[in-house]
């Protein structure tokens, strides 16, 4: 980290270049990548030398009482109905209609970051809690149990559909189209929660609740196999979103980056690419764990350690979310405030912000772009250092000797170093679309 911080301070005089297509900041990105890689490698050695006390496994809290937080859930439920209605009858402009802005920016970006970094916000605002509580209060408890053999596959498949709609569908921000998707998604999960029980379905079926529960994992409670795959797929989708717009990817699939044809022309190739990206990342993670376990000479299967080590990926997932969506959060977050002031396009000014002047300069110009880039680069580096630290603590509960821990962590740390370089390359390389 010391090398990276020094480089951060040494680049104040870097020059920017403005153009009609945006702002390109000319920085010594090679030095950033090298400093970040060295920081992750150095942290691995430092954590290895330092004593590692295994963390105690967390006890899962009993949150089956639906009456808790039902009032805040009721407000969230009403707010969701308002957003869906705005999708149908409000402005057709995605930057003026609150539904696309709240779903793609506030929920998927903002709430995810708060959930992972600050606290369990989703417990308070989960819109399924209140209607489930009301239905169970009127008609009794659910009659069926979700089979254990299903694991978290329902949540994983729901996320795949969500990711495809966000990254591949030609018009994910169209208010009417998105309103249909949100309404169907809400109703399907409400029916499932009523049939199989709110707590179990939210934990293994509804993908947002399942993902947010993973983000709140602080101690080495082993993730299930499907939860591990789920977490890697979330990370892969965010990475592929950036990768799919790079000149490198477009050139390799026969697309002129300077004449980007739009999402419709890229649906098939990007669908294949997103699936391949996820499979490669899953294979790499499993391979590094298998190699590390083999190097230790310990008995047993490496698969027994997958779920425990997988929680080390949580800091990486969070910082990639932050870095990838930072500019969107800064700009579209402002549009969201203005849209909420007049959700139905009727001339209302509920929040007094209908005429808010969106400050796009927050992400343009030499100074702001320099700051955004450094925040993104520092976050990615810090996230990988945090991942190395969490891996070190969890591995301490798996292997007794320091030599075994070193051998096990070495392949995984190597993968994290290369992924750090890849993440910074994604931020720095030319992109289209």
């Amino acid at each position: 980290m010391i090398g990276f911080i020094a480089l951060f301070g040494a680049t104040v005089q870097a020059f920017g270049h403005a153009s009609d297509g945006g702002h390109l900041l000319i920085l010594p990105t090679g030095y950033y990548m090298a400093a970040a890689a060295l920081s992750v490698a150095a942290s691995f050695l430092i954590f290895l030398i330092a004593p590692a006390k295994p963390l105690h496994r967390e006890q899962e809290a009993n949150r089956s009482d639906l009456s808790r937080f039902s009032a805040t859930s009721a407000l969230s439920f009403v707010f969701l109905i308002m957003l869906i209605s705005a999708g149908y009858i409000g402005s057709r402009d995605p930057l003026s209609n609150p539904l696309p802005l709240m779903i793609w920016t506030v929920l998927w970006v903002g709430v995810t970051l708060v959930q992972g970094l600050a606290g369990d916000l989703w417990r308070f605002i989960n819109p399924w809690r209140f209607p489930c509580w009301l239905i169970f209060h009127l008609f009794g408890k659910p009659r069926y149990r979700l089979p254990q053999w299903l694991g978290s596959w329902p949540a994983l498949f729901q996320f795949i559909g969500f990711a495809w709609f966000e990254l591949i569908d030609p018009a994910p921000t169209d208010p009417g189209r998105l309103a249909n998707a949100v309404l169907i998604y809400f109703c399907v999960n409400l029916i499932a929660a009523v049939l199989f029980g709110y707590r179990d379905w939210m934990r293994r079926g509804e993908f947002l609740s399942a993902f947010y529960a993973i983000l709140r994992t602080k101690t080495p409670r082993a993730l299930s196999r499907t939860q591990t795959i789920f977490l890697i797929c979330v990370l892969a989708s965010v990475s592929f979103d950036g990768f799919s717009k790079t000149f490198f990817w477009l050139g390799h699939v026969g697309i002129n980056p300077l004449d980007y044809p739009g999402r419709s022309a890229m649906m098939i190739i990007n669908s294949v690419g997103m699936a391949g990206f996820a499979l490669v990342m899953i294979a790499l993670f499993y391979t590094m764990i298998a190699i590390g376990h083999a190097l230790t000479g310990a008995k047993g299967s490496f698969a027994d350690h997958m779920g425990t080590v997988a929680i080390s990926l949580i800091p990486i997932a969070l910082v990639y979310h932050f870095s990838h969506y930072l500019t969107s959060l800064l700009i579209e977050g402002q549009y969201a405030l203005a849209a909420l002031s007049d959700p139905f396009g009727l001339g209302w000014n509920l929040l007094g912000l209908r005429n808010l002047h969106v400050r796009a300069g927050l992400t343009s110009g030499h100074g702001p772009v320099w700051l955004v880039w450094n925040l993104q680069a520092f976050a990615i580096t810090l996230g990988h250092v945090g991942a190395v630290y969490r891996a070190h603590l969890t591995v301490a509960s798996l292997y007794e000797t320091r030599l075994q821990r070193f051998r096990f962590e070495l392949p995984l740390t190597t993968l994290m170093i290369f992924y750090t370089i890849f993440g910074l390359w994604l931020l720095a390389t030319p992109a289209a679309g």
Side-chain angles (χ1 to χ4, degrees):
M1 289 295 292
I2 297 176
F4 185 84
I5 293 173
L7 182 59
F8 180 92
T11 56
V12 177
Q13 298 301 321
F15 294 96
H17 170 70
S19 68
D20 293 336
H23 193 94
L24 176 64
L25 188 65
I26 301 175
L27 282 174
T29 53
Y31 292 123
Y32 275 74
M33 295 176 187
L38 289 173
S39 297
V40 176
S43 67
F44 165 65
L45 296 176
I46 292 172
F47 296 147
L48 188 71
I49 296 172
K53 183 179 180 181
L55 295 174
H56 296 291
R57 294 184 182 273
E58 67 180 3
Q59 299 295 323
E60 189 173 5
N62 185 356
R63 299 173 181 173
S64 58
D65 184 7
L66 284 177
S67 63
R68 298 181 65 193
F69 314 119
S70 59
T72 53
S73 174
L75 294 175
S76 180
F77 172 71
V78 171
F79 185 64
L80 178 63
I81 298 301
M82 184 274 289
L83 289 177
I84 294 174
S85 301
Y88 287 123
I89 65 177
S91 171
R92 299 298 89 193
D93 180 6
L95 292 179
S96 299
N97 191 298
L99 178 63
L101 295 163
M102 293 301 297
I103 295 297
W104 299 124
T105 303
V106 177
L107 176 63
W108 183 231
V109 182
V111 173
T112 297
L113 293 175
V114 172
Q115 182 74 15
L117 299 174
D120 196 358
L121 175 63
W122 188 244
R123 290 175 62 192
F124 295 89
I125 65 173
N126 188 323
W128 285 279
R129 180 185 288 267
F130 170 72
C132 282
W133 170 82
L134 184 61
I135 292 172
F136 293 152
H137 182 73
L138 295 175
F139 302 103
K141 295 181 179 180
R143 300 180 179 180
Y144 305 99
R145 294 180 63 87
L146 192 65
Q148 289 298 320
W149 58 264
L150 269 179
S152 298
W153 284 110
L156 176 58
F157 285 133
Q158 286 194 11
F159 171 73
I160 291 173
F162 171 87
W164 188 92
F165 186 69
E166 180 199 11
L167 306 181
I168 312 298
D169 186 85
T173 59
D174 177 76
R177 189 181 184 90
L178 182 57
N180 288 332
V182 172
L183 181 60
I184 293 172
Y185 182 80
F186 180 83
C187 291
V188 167
N189 282 284
L190 177 61
I191 293 171
V194 169
L195 290 176
F196 300 112
Y198 170 85
R199 184 168 178 265
D200 203 21
W201 183 256
M202 290 296 119
R203 185 169 58 90
R204 299 195 287 140
E206 197 278 309
F207 97 85
L208 278 172
S209 300
F211 177 50
Y212 289 157
I214 292 174
L215 291 184
R216 296 303 302 157
T217 304
K218 297 299 183 185
T219 59
R221 173 177 62 86
L223 301 180
S224 68
R225 181 176 301 177
T226 46
Q227 285 178 318
T228 300
I229 295 174
F230 183 10
L231 181 58
I232 297 174
C233 285
V234 173
L235 185 55
S237 72
V238 176
S239 297
F240 181 74
D241 188 19
F243 182 73
S244 64
K245 299 179 179 67
T246 64
F247 283 19
F248 177 86
W249 169 253
L250 294 173
H252 274 71
V253 298
I255 300 295
N256 182 358
L258 301 179
D259 188 23
Y260 187 72
R263 292 168 66 112
S264 298
M266 300 288 293
M267 287 181 64
I268 295 178
I269 189 63
N270 277 351
S271 296
V272 174
M274 185 174 71
F277 215 82
L279 291 174
V280 167
M281 289 187 62
I282 293 170
L284 284 173
F285 183 72
Y286 271 63
T287 300
M288 293 301 105
I289 298 298
I291 294 174
H293 182 67
L295 290 175
T296 65
K299 298 179 180 180
S301 171
F302 75 92
D304 297 336
H305 304 324
M306 290 295 303
T308 302
V309 180
I311 66 170
S312 64
L313 298 177
I314 294 175
I316 300 177
L318 282 172
V319 298
Y320 269 77
H321 217 81
F322 170 81
S323 298
H324 180 71
Y325 293 113
L326 177 58
T327 55
S328 174
L329 186 63
L330 291 173
I331 301 302
E332 294 178 14
Q334 298 177 70
Y335 281 107
L337 292 174
L340 286 173
S341 284
D342 186 18
F344 303 109
L346 300 176
W348 298 352
N349 196 9
L350 299 176
L351 303 179
L353 298 171
R354 183 167 64 91
N355 298 318
L356 174 69
H357 176 67
V358 175
R359 298 180 59 190
L362 290 175
T363 58
S364 63
H366 168 259
V369 173
W370 176 90
L371 179 60
V372 166
W373 159 257
N374 277 283
L375 285 173
Q376 292 170 321
F378 183 76
I380 287 179
T381 306
L382 184 63
H384 283 82
V385 170
V388 171
Y389 178 67
R390 293 194 71 170
H392 183 61
L393 294 180
T394 56
V395 169
S397 65
L398 304 178
Y399 299 99
E400 295 181 358
T401 69
R402 183 169 294 175
L403 180 59
Q404 283 183 314
R405 293 195 291 267
F406 170 78
R407 290 175 174 176
F408 183 86
E409 293 177 47
L410 184 59
L412 184 61
T413 302
T414 302
L415 177 61
M416 290 180 179
I417 290 173
F418 280 102
Y419 201 55
T420 302
I421 296 172
F422 175 72
L424 294 177
W425 175 82
L426 277 182
L427 293 175
T429 193

